[in-house]
Amino acid sequence: MKPWMAAYLISIATACCIFFLVGGLPAGKRFTKKDAYRYFKKFGYMKMSDDENSNVTFRRSVEKVQKFAGANQTGDLNDETINLLMTPRCQNPDVFEKKNRTKRFLLAEPWPSTNLTYKLANYPNKTINLTNSGIDKIIRNSLATWAIYAPKLSFSLISSTSSRKAVINLKFARLDHGDGSSFDGPGGVLAHAFYPTDGEVHFDADESWSTATNSGANFDWVAIHEIGHALGLDHSSVKGSIMYPYYTGFKANLTLSLDDIAGIQELYPV
Ligand SMILES: [Zn+2]
Ligand SMILES: [Zn+2]
């Protein structure tokens, strides 16, 4: 074979391979089938024991992700789906095997007491435009927003310097921070939270946190979303709800959707 012909065949093979791996996305946005498997297992769309060589299982998992996000259910790892899987999001899983899935929102257990204390352990080293007092205020507002629709809930702050324990404990943490759910640096997962009666809420300290701007990760949305988990709410497949797992960017007027309200009122009846 002539050298130019070999080079030509190699370039064709490479092009096909890249197309398969990234679904035609521009360079720099490489997302492999292996990444998709990792995603499906991490967020509950595939069981750990599922066969990674089964195309049927793979397509079914793609369909489940597409359905939850409200996208077209093609079963193909197409550009739209790859973009979805690369969207910054909450680290909590979307699907739990044993949960009753007849409702649009999913629920954990409520707190046995509705008078809840909270504590913020630290602040991120750098933000786009957030001050420490700004972070305090956003957390306070997030708690208050849930309490508007669940008026039996009340929250009181415990200072980070106090030795008193709080029920809901918030902190900024990086990478592996000792709870088995490592963060991943800038982008990707933004935060995670544990349900009652754990109440830990962790924000990825490597994000560029912001408020009232399109730049960076909007702390207002992430705080109210994660506090929703700490109060007992799971992810919702309703796009536009606070408990939708994907980060959908800065919104000027952050309010609970009907789905969020139905969820919090089921946990804490009015
Ligand atoms: Zn979440
Ligand atoms: Zn954590």
Side-chain angles (χ1 to χ4, degrees):
M1 190 186 295
K2 294 214 164 67
W4 66 266
M5 196 182 269
Y8 178 71
L9 288 174
I10 287 168
S11 69
I12 294 281
T14 307
C16 291
C17 182
I18 288 171
F19 187 80
F20 170 72
L21 289 173
V22 305
L25 284 180
K29 276 196 152 189
R30 195 164 173 271
F31 191 92
T32 65
K33 205 170 175 183
K34 206 167 186 166
D35 292 324
Y37 275 118
R38 206 173 300 131
Y39 188 101
F40 298 151
K41 291 190 173 177
K42 189 171 176 179
F43 296 110
Y45 292 100
M46 200 181 242
K47 285 183 239 156
M48 287 298 170
S49 56
D50 277 344
D51 178 10
E52 291 200 4
N53 296 315
S54 162
N55 277 335
V56 176
T57 309
F58 184 80
R59 289 186 68 84
R60 204 182 301 134
S61 302
V62 174
E63 274 176 22
K64 280 193 220 166
V65 170
Q66 290 168 333
K67 185 178 179 189
F68 198 97
N72 290 334
Q73 289 173 62
T74 62
D76 299 317
L77 191 62
N78 52 22
D79 286 0
E80 186 192 6
T81 308
I82 289 171
N83 282 332
L84 179 72
L85 302 188
M86 291 177 73
T87 303
R89 58 161 292 151
C90 171
Q91 197 172 15
N92 287 40
D94 300 334
V95 182
F96 296 85
E97 272 174 53
K98 287 178 185 162
K99 288 279 174 85
N100 173 3
R101 304 224 50 219
T102 54
K103 294 198 178 73
R104 286 184 300 166
F105 48 83
L106 303 171
L107 302 165
E109 293 295 313
W111 288 97
S113 162
T114 51
N115 301 319
L116 303 172
T117 51
Y118 71 99
K119 187 189 269 192
L120 175 63
N122 59 2
Y123 297 94
N125 289 333
K126 58 176 177 59
T127 70
I128 286 186
N129 61 356
L130 274 170
T131 58
N132 290 358
S133 62
I135 289 173
D136 291 341
K137 188 177 167 199
I138 289 170
I139 289 171
R140 208 163 51 236
N141 288 347
S142 300
L143 293 162
T145 301
W146 286 111
I148 291 171
Y149 299 96
K152 285 187 184 142
L153 286 174
S154 68
F155 301 100
S156 48
L157 175 68
I158 293 181
S159 159
S160 61
T161 54
S162 167
S163 58
R164 272 182 66 210
K165 281 194 166 180
V167 167
I168 296 174
N169 289 285
L170 309 102
K171 72 175 178 187
F172 288 84
R174 297 188 64 234
L175 305 174
D176 180 1
H177 52 282
D179 60 10
S181 298
S182 296
F183 285 138
D184 55 359
V189 295
L190 303 174
H192 57 227
F194 296 83
Y195 306 99
T197 54
D198 182 302
E200 286 285 323
V201 178
H202 301 161
F203 303 103
D204 188 344
D206 284 329
E207 303 302 336
S208 300
W209 294 107
S210 65
T211 186
T213 169
N214 284 316
S215 313
N218 180 243
F219 188 65
D220 303 69
W221 179 79
V222 178
I224 195 169
H225 175 99
E226 298 304 330
I227 286 169
H229 287 313
L231 293 174
L233 286 164
D234 275 329
H235 284 151
S236 167
S237 58
V238 177
K239 210 171 182 172
S241 72
I242 292 291
M243 295 316 293
Y244 191 65
Y246 298 97
Y247 178 68
T248 50
F250 164 66
K251 290 186 196 71
N253 296 309
L254 211 53
T255 50
L256 301 190
S257 70
L258 290 176
D259 189 68
D260 298 311
I261 294 168
I264 198 71
Q265 291 190 341
E266 177 131 340
L267 285 168
Y268 306 97
V270 177

